Amino acid sequence: MTTAFVLGGGGVLGAVEVGMLRALLERGILPDLVLGTSVGALNGAMVARDPTLSVIERLTELWHDTSRSRDVYGDRPLRTVRRVISTGTHAYSARPLSRRLREEFGDLTFEELPVRFQVCAASIERAAEHWFSTGPVVDAVVASAAVPGLLPPAKVVTDLGVEHFLDGGIVNSIPVGRAAQLGATRIFVLQVGRIDRPLTPPSRPWEVARVSFEIARRHRFAREMAELPEGVVAHVLPAAGTSARDDSLRAHRDFDGILRRIDATYEASVDFLDGLE
């Protein structure tokens, strides 16, 4: 049996995946393969580097540090406006994210990880899904987390030359099909809860893109789940304690709220796994 952890994208809601990881690791469920998209690439890199319970404490510390700092999405409003005007493409610099990741991972490469790990990003030049599986881990995670409009496209040297990448959620937000293609027979899907929320028609211009993206990502996930080969079992772990209000960057500053969501998701995942047994 080959076990895969599939960690989906979800921005500031990605903390709930920590609760899922805790529930899995406490039961001795360890991955042979880890796949990550966007914030799931960050969480996935952590567990691929250290697939033990000690990673839960480190992940919680990282989420705490991020919630208390002004890094990544913490520029002053005037500076953000100036960047949008000057670049025309993004509101925040990618340097703080890159710096924090390099502090955590250094020059670690995929080849050095004890668990097989792959990261999804969207190639601009090829208009295609790209999977990082070799080379520096930080470059791949930054590329996978380059949220359109918030962060600039990530420039990475690949086998095809210099390419620019955007958030992997654009092309494959919850890559369960990829896990099956790579030989996984037991898949645990770690997702942030958005796939369970009912959608309503957009009523404001800025809601159109969000609703459109949700339709696309949910459609692909449902299709891949339905098309899993015979003999492959996928378990979708439940996200608890989240709502649409938690999507905002302001919610990311509330560490007490983050802890509550982690704990609530952990408890829900424990109940779910107990049901499987």
Side-chain angles (χ1 to χ4, degrees):
M1 179 170 58
T2 300
T3 299
F5 288 1
V6 172
L7 295 95
V12 296
L13 295 181
V16 302
E17 295 176 351
V18 179
M20 299 174 186
L21 287 170
R22 178 186 170 192
L24 288 165
L25 296 175
E26 280 185 348
R27 276 157 179 70
I29 300 174
L30 304 178
D32 303 297
L33 168 68
V34 176
L35 303 179
T37 295
S38 195
V39 73
L42 169 57
N43 292 334
M46 294 291 290
V47 75
R49 182 184 65 176
D50 178 16
T52 70
L53 270 173
S54 63
V55 75
I56 302 304
E57 181 178 355
R58 183 60 191 138
L59 274 168
T60 304
E61 290 174 354
L62 284 177
W63 281 98
H64 174 269
D65 292 345
T66 302
S67 71
R68 292 293 189 244
S69 73
R70 295 186 61 86
D71 279 355
V72 186
Y73 297 142
D75 279 349
R76 299 182 184 278
L78 181 58
R79 183 179 297 176
T80 300
V81 171
R82 287 174 176 169
R83 185 176 289 111
V84 171
I85 294 173
S86 64
T87 67
T89 59
H90 57 276
Y92 300 100
S93 169
R95 286 191 293 272
L97 174 62
S98 297
R99 181 175 63 250
R100 292 179 72 86
L101 289 173
R102 294 198 186 283
E103 289 172 354
E104 182 65 31
F105 295 105
D107 296 324
L108 184 70
T109 66
F110 284 86
E111 293 86 348
E112 295 171 310
L113 294 169
V115 178
R116 187 182 183 191
F117 180 48
Q118 295 194 2
V119 167
C120 180
S123 167
I124 293 177
E125 284 83 359
R126 289 181 284 119
E129 178 179 320
H130 178 85
W131 283 93
F132 290 94
S133 59
T134 61
V137 169
V138 170
D139 289 349
V141 174
V142 171
S144 186
V147 181
L150 292 183
L151 294 173
K155 184 187 297 185
V156 183
V157 178
T158 70
D159 293 340
L160 300 176
V162 176
E163 292 188 77
H164 296 80
F165 295 91
L166 288 173
D167 195 301
I170 297 172
V171 287
N172 202 340
S173 185
I174 310 174
V176 64
R178 176 75 175 183
Q181 291 171 4
L182 294 175
T185 54
R186 183 176 64 162
I187 303 170
F188 290 95
V189 179
L190 290 74
Q191 49 83 39
V192 302
R194 286 178 179 158
I195 58 174
D196 302 323
R197 298 179 189 166
L199 289 176
T200 57
S203 58
R204 297 177 178 84
W206 56 85
E207 293 178 350
V208 174
R210 179 184 62 81
V211 172
S212 300
F213 174 72
E214 281 299 319
I215 292 172
R217 72 192 293 270
R218 295 183 194 192
H219 173 74
R220 173 160 188 172
F221 176 63
R223 186 189 68 207
E224 291 194 350
M225 288 289 288
E227 294 176 350
L228 287 175
E230 184 177 353
V232 176
V233 178
H235 304 292
V236 182
L237 294 171
T242 69
S243 72
R245 290 175 298 177
D246 297 323
D247 291 342
S248 71
L249 294 178
R250 181 175 298 177
H252 191 46
R253 304 295 181 200
D254 176 17
F255 183 63
D256 290 336
I258 289 174
L259 276 183
R260 286 193 296 270
R261 291 192 290 274
I262 291 175
D263 290 342
T265 297
Y266 163 72
E267 293 172 2
S269 296
V270 167
D271 291 342
F272 177 84
L273 294 172
D274 286 345
L276 293 182
E277 293 175 0

